[in-house]
Amino acid sequence: MIVVATADFELYHEAVAELRDRGTVFTTVEPGGDLPDRTRVVIVAHDDVDDVDVPDGVERVVASGGDDARRAVEEALAVLRGGGGRTVVGVDPGTRPGIAVLSGAVVVAAFHVPLADAVAVIRREVDGEADPLVRVGDGARLQGSRIVNELDDVPVELVDETGTTPYLGTGARGMGDVLAAVNIARLDGERVDSREVEPTAGELQQIKDESRQRSGGDRTIDEELARRVARGELDVDEALDEHRDETA
């Protein structure tokens, strides 16, 4: 069991929230209080170290404050898992990619975010990991290539994502991209440093149609701007701004 033992108000609330979000069994004690018999790991703040007596066989995870709570919780969970394993991030690309973070065989975090936020989320999840790996599905070619190309300093594999999206039963709507990302993370892929994709006429038209929708039907970007969006050089809103400047 995990125990949170800290007088740091912010760390206490952030750590408790993280543990509840993960459905983890835990308890809290005041620094200096007795630890329950089933305690396996204790989360404390730097200022609490001298006040929390940790017996043999119990691991201590020290956090710098509330903004370090998530890292501390993941480290504590790794202790419960017996050391965890390699951090692998699976990505199901699209306009809102599904992202799943695995430590060994255990899913420790999952996200469903706009494409513009995906790389920042992935970088945050692999930051500080000794040997991380990102596996990106080969579908949604334009969005997937943008993610691959922006992760130029992280090991990336391109994965055949055929059959990775599971059947979704009643009440599971919206989970497909995240569950696909879990499956992608568990599949071996081909190591890539970049991915160059020539957009098809249909993909360019889709980008142009999106620009018209975003502008409220007021304007449609030209093919060259659509190609720049497809290459990840601009997003649709930035392309619309350039189009307005060009036609002003």
Side-chain angles (χ1 to χ4, degrees):
M1 182 172 62
I2 295 173
V3 176
V4 179
T6 179
D8 185 313
F9 180 83
E10 184 178 358
L11 173 60
Y12 174 89
H13 284 278
E14 291 296 327
V16 166
E18 291 283 347
L19 290 163
R20 283 176 176 161
D21 285 346
R22 288 163 170 77
T24 305
V25 176
F26 72 96
T27 191
T28 64
V29 300
E30 293 287 338
D34 293 332
L35 298 178
D37 291 339
R38 294 187 298 119
T39 302
R40 289 276 309 282
V41 57
V42 182
I43 297 175
V44 301
H46 282 293
D47 292 343
D48 301 317
V49 170
D50 293 337
D51 298 322
V52 179
D53 184 23
V54 178
D56 291 341
V58 174
E59 296 285 340
R60 174 164 45 202
V61 175
V62 181
S64 60
D67 57 357
D68 194 32
R70 183 173 182 192
R71 192 276 311 163
V73 167
E74 290 179 353
E75 185 175 335
L77 288 170
V79 172
L80 294 186
R81 293 192 298 267
R86 186 182 195 185
T87 294
V88 178
V89 179
V91 184
D92 183 34
T95 55
R96 287 184 62 86
I99 300 171
V101 184
L102 277 64
S103 178
V106 179
V107 180
V108 296
F111 308 89
H112 196 216
V113 298
L115 178 61
D117 298 335
V119 170
V121 169
I122 295 166
R123 287 188 182 283
R124 185 185 70 209
E125 293 304 310
V126 302
D127 183 43
E129 296 294 333
D131 185 27
L133 175 65
V134 179
R135 287 175 169 154
V136 180
D138 63 356
R141 303 180 322 136
L142 299 181
Q143 293 90 349
S145 63
R146 178 174 172 181
I147 292 170
V148 170
N149 293 337
E150 290 185 24
L151 291 170
D152 54 355
D153 58 346
V154 178
V156 176
E157 290 182 357
L158 194 63
V159 173
D160 180 357
E161 63 176 56
T162 304
T164 55
T165 300
Y167 167 75
L168 298 178
T170 303
R173 183 178 179 183
M175 295 175 60
D177 295 335
V178 171
L179 293 175
V182 173
N183 289 331
I184 287 168
R186 289 173 170 159
L187 294 174
D188 291 334
E190 178 184 354
R191 184 69 176 270
V192 294
D193 295 320
S194 63
R195 190 185 190 199
E196 301 304 324
V197 173
E198 182 62 27
T200 64
E203 288 168 334
L204 292 173
Q205 187 59 53
Q206 187 176 21
I207 293 170
K208 289 195 233 181
D209 291 344
E210 183 182 353
S211 72
R212 187 160 189 82
Q213 293 172 359
R214 293 282 190 96
S215 69
D218 181 54
R219 64 180 62 238
T220 303
I221 62 174
D222 59 33
E223 184 161 315
E224 180 54 34
L225 283 170
R227 285 185 182 279
R228 292 178 65 190
V229 172
R231 291 195 297 264
E233 297 173 10
L234 302 169
D235 62 28
V236 173
D237 290 331
E238 291 168 339
L240 281 168
D241 288 340
E242 287 206 15
H243 190 265
R244 291 187 185 95
D245 291 342
E246 292 171 357
T247 57

